Structure formats: C-alpha cells, structure tokens
Amino acid sequence: MDFSIGELARRTKVKVPTIRYYEQIGLLLPPPRTEGQQRRYDKNAIARLAFIKHARELGFDIEAIRALLSLQDNPDQSCSVADRIAKARLAEVEERIVSLNALRAELRRMVEECASGRVAECRVIETLADSSHGHGRLAET
Amino acid sequence: MDFSIGELARRTKVKVPTIRYYEQIGLLLPPPRTEGQQRRYDKNAIARLAFIKHARELGFDIEAIRALLSLQDNPDQSCSVADRIAKARLAEVEERIVSLNALRAELRRMVEECASGRVAECRVIETLADSSHGHGRLAET
DNA sequence: CTTGAACCTCTAGTCACTATAGAGAATACG
DNA sequence: CGTATTCTCTATAGTGACTAGAGGTTCAAG
Ligand SMILES: [Zn+2]
Ligand SMILES: [Zn+2]
Ligand SMILES: [Zn+2]
Ligand SMILES: [Zn+2]
C-alpha cells in the first residue's frame, strides 16, 4: 500500500531528486519514514505530485503552484485566485508566442537570404551586426 | 574618442555588469585601462557588443555567439557554420511555438470553462489534477 | 581641491532543477 | 544466513545568463 521514493518516481515520471527538492521547498509534505529513515508514500502523494508536474508542464512557476495547491487543499474558497493565476500564465504564453513569431520571421529571412558563401557576405552575420532595429526583451529560449 | 563602461552601456543599452560579465567569459576582449584601472572603449567595442546583444535577443546562447563572433573575425571562411547555427535556432523557435500553442489552447480551455465559483468545482484546479494526458518536456517559460 | 557619481573587484544569489560523493538500508538469491 | 545488488540517505556543487550587493577607488565637474 505504501512505497518508496523510487516507486513514486516511476509512477509519476518525476525524478527522485526532484521529489526530494519539492519536499525541501515545501510543495510536498514530508512523508513518514521507515525505521531506516527512508520515505514511504501513498497514493495521495501520487495525486499531489501529478498535480505539480502538470502545473510545471504548463509553465506555472513554483510560487504559483504553491498557491494553487493551497487552494486545492481548501476547496470551499472562491476560485478567483486560481483563475487569476491561470489567466496571468495565459497572457505570458500569448506574449511569448507573439515575440517568438517575430524571431521566427527574422531567423527565416536570415537563413533564406544567405547565399551560402563566405562569411564576408553572409546574411546571418550581417543581420546580427545590424543593430538598427529593436526587440523587446531578450528571448528566453 | 574613447569612453567609459557606463557610456558603452548607455550607447548599447547593455547593463554595465553584463558588459563586465561578457568580458569575463571571453566574448569581449579586455579593453585598455586608464592609470586607475578603469576600462576605456572605442567604437569597435560598440559594434561587437551590439552584435552580441542582437544575437541574444534572437535567443542564441553564449556558445553559439562565441562561434558567430569568431566567424565574424575571420571573414574569408565559408559561412556554412553560421548558417547551421541560425537554422538550428530557427528549428528550436519553431518547435517552441508549436508547444506554446498547445499550452495556450489548454490554458484557454481552463479559464473559459471555469464558472468562477468555488474551488471544489473550478476547471483550473480540475485540469491540473487531471494527469491523464501528456506534454512533451516542461515548458520553459 | 572637494565632492559625488561612476568605477573597481569579489562574492553570492536567482530559478528549477541535476549531478555527484560517500555512506547506510532494503531486497533477491543461493 | 550471507552476500551482492540495488536503492536510498544527506549534503554539496553545478547549470545559464545574468543581477545585486559590499566595500573601496578614481574621475571629472565646479
Ligand atoms: Zn495538460
Ligand atoms: Zn551565410
Ligand atoms: Zn533583430
Ligand atoms: Zn475557477
């Protein structure tokens, strides 16, 4: 009925050190231990960790997830906070898509216009050297 | 004709500590110093830093920029390496756009379907708790 | 010559993990 | 029961690309 951290890792596809990290920063409650100090989890832990994992996949940061978890733990509250967090994340994603589309356009122009010759006439290098236009902030990845 | 690090920062809109950091990791050559050990730059430094800045805005990582700079310094070579780097970045951006579009769709569904009531019936929380579907890797931002 | 903004180096912190080391615990097999 | 293998433990350091701060020095304007 209860199982080790490695088993939890296998079932959730979250790595063992990551699980310990989540415990350390307070996203997961410290589970009971065996006499030899090894952690033992139950299925509630699976659900909570799956929640965290899904939230991370959607790009919520740890503080947002902390807030979302504490809402989940108090189901009688208004969900307006959760909605606000999700909307904020949506706005971030949309902004990011806009800026990545601009990057894509510029990168495409660079690679398409290059005649694959010497560096001296390479469009890639030329475009980079041309600082005459502006981007918003730095591209994150 | 030559100027301080603060002036270079103002002209390129790159922060002073970032300039020193670029020098430390070898993207910028150590400039001459005054008797009191303060850095003095000329307009070549502006061009090089603008190049780096533009490349960062397009999301190239430091190692890619290092390679691109060294190509720029040797203009008689073939530019195929530069083109390969740019194409790789383009591919990353395109992949990222695809995955962000998926995130956007899911986040939109979450916020649209929420009846703005109690947490117990909040679509945002429910969706996060539902681990039945998979995402690629974690969303980077 | 005085003032104060700008500069210097060095260290540590950010985020969300990931990796390693060295040691102890649990399990499978003979 | 012994031992080999696998697992787990803590603690620390590293990642990328900066950013912030402490504590001290230099430069340029007035
Ligand atoms: Zn999902
Ligand atoms: Zn080219
Ligand atoms: Zn550009
Ligand atoms: Zn809701």
Side-chain angles (χ1 to χ4, degrees):
Chain A
M1 204 68 272
D2 59 346
F3 42 86
S4 72
I5 196 169
E7 183 63 21
L8 179 61
R10 239 166 282 122
R11 294 200 203 179
T12 57
K13 283 162 192 154
V14 174
K15 287 177 191 142
V16 169
T18 305
I19 296 171
R20 287 198 276 249
Y21 169 70
Y22 286 158
E23 179 183 327
Q24 192 195 311
I25 64 174
L27 286 193
L28 294 174
L29 293 175
R33 305 273 187 136
T34 64
E35 228 171 292
Q37 298 310 312
Q38 299 196 357
R39 294 166 178 83
R40 291 300 132 165
Y41 296 94
D42 61 14
K43 63 182 165 46
N44 290 334
I46 299 184
R48 196 173 176 91
L49 185 49
F51 184 105
I52 295 169
K53 187 191 182 209
H54 196 183
R56 284 296 298 131
E57 286 167 345
L58 287 167
F60 292 100
D61 63 23
I62 299 289
E63 283 319 299
I65 295 173
R66 207 188 291 282
L68 291 166
L69 281 169
S70 98
L71 287 168
Q72 199 194 27
D73 292 342
N74 301 51
D76 286 334
Q77 290 180 264
S78 151
C79 73
S80 62
V81 172
D83 299 359
R84 204 148 8 88
I85 291 170
K87 275 176 192 151
R89 176 62 188 146
L90 176 57
E92 273 176 23
V93 168
E94 290 183 329
E95 194 187 327
R96 192 92 188 82
I97 288 172
V98 167
S99 99
L100 282 178
N101 277 332
L103 293 196
R104 177 173 56 180
E106 184 164 356
L107 288 165
R108 275 193 179 154
R109 238 179 302 119
M110 286 165 69
V111 306
E112 275 166 18
E113 289 175 8
C114 178
S116 257
R118 285 172 311 124
V119 167
E121 48 200 36
C122 175
R123 261 316 262 165
V124 172
I125 301 291
E126 277 173 21
T127 305
L128 289 172
D130 170 19
S131 61
S132 66
H133 67 296
H135 297 264
R137 36 179 129 142
L138 299 191
E140 283 135 35
T141 294
Chain B
M1 204 68 273
D2 60 347
F3 42 86
S4 71
I5 195 170
E7 184 62 22
L8 179 59
R10 240 165 281 124
R11 295 200 203 180
T12 57
K13 282 163 192 155
V14 174
K15 288 177 192 142
V16 169
T18 304
I19 296 171
R20 288 197 277 248
Y21 168 71
Y22 287 158
E23 179 183 326
Q24 192 196 310
I25 64 174
L27 285 194
L28 293 175
L29 293 175
R33 304 274 187 133
T34 64
E35 227 172 292
Q37 300 310 312
Q38 299 196 0
R39 294 168 177 84
R40 292 301 133 169
Y41 296 93
D42 61 14
K43 62 182 165 46
N44 291 334
I46 298 184
R48 195 174 177 90
L49 185 49
F51 184 104
I52 295 169
K53 187 193 181 208
H54 197 184
R56 285 295 298 129
E57 286 167 344
L58 287 167
F60 292 101
D61 63 23
I62 300 290
E63 283 319 301
I65 295 173
R66 208 188 290 282
L68 291 166
L69 281 169
S70 99
L71 287 168
Q72 199 193 26
D73 292 341
N74 302 51
D76 285 335
Q77 291 181 265
S78 151
C79 75
S80 61
V81 172
D83 299 358
R84 206 152 1 92
I85 290 171
K87 276 176 193 151
R89 176 63 188 146
L90 176 57
E92 273 176 22
V93 167
E94 290 183 330
E95 195 187 325
R96 194 89 189 83
I97 287 172
V98 167
S99 100
L100 281 178
N101 277 331
L103 293 196
R104 177 172 58 179
E106 183 164 356
L107 287 164
R108 277 195 177 153
R109 239 180 300 118
M110 285 165 70
V111 307
E112 275 166 17
E113 288 176 7
C114 177
S116 257
R118 286 173 310 125
V119 168
E121 49 201 34
C122 176
R123 262 317 262 165
V124 172
I125 303 290
E126 276 172 23
T127 305
L128 290 171
D130 171 19
S131 61
S132 66
H133 68 296
H135 297 264
R137 35 178 130 141
L138 298 191
E140 283 136 35
T141 294

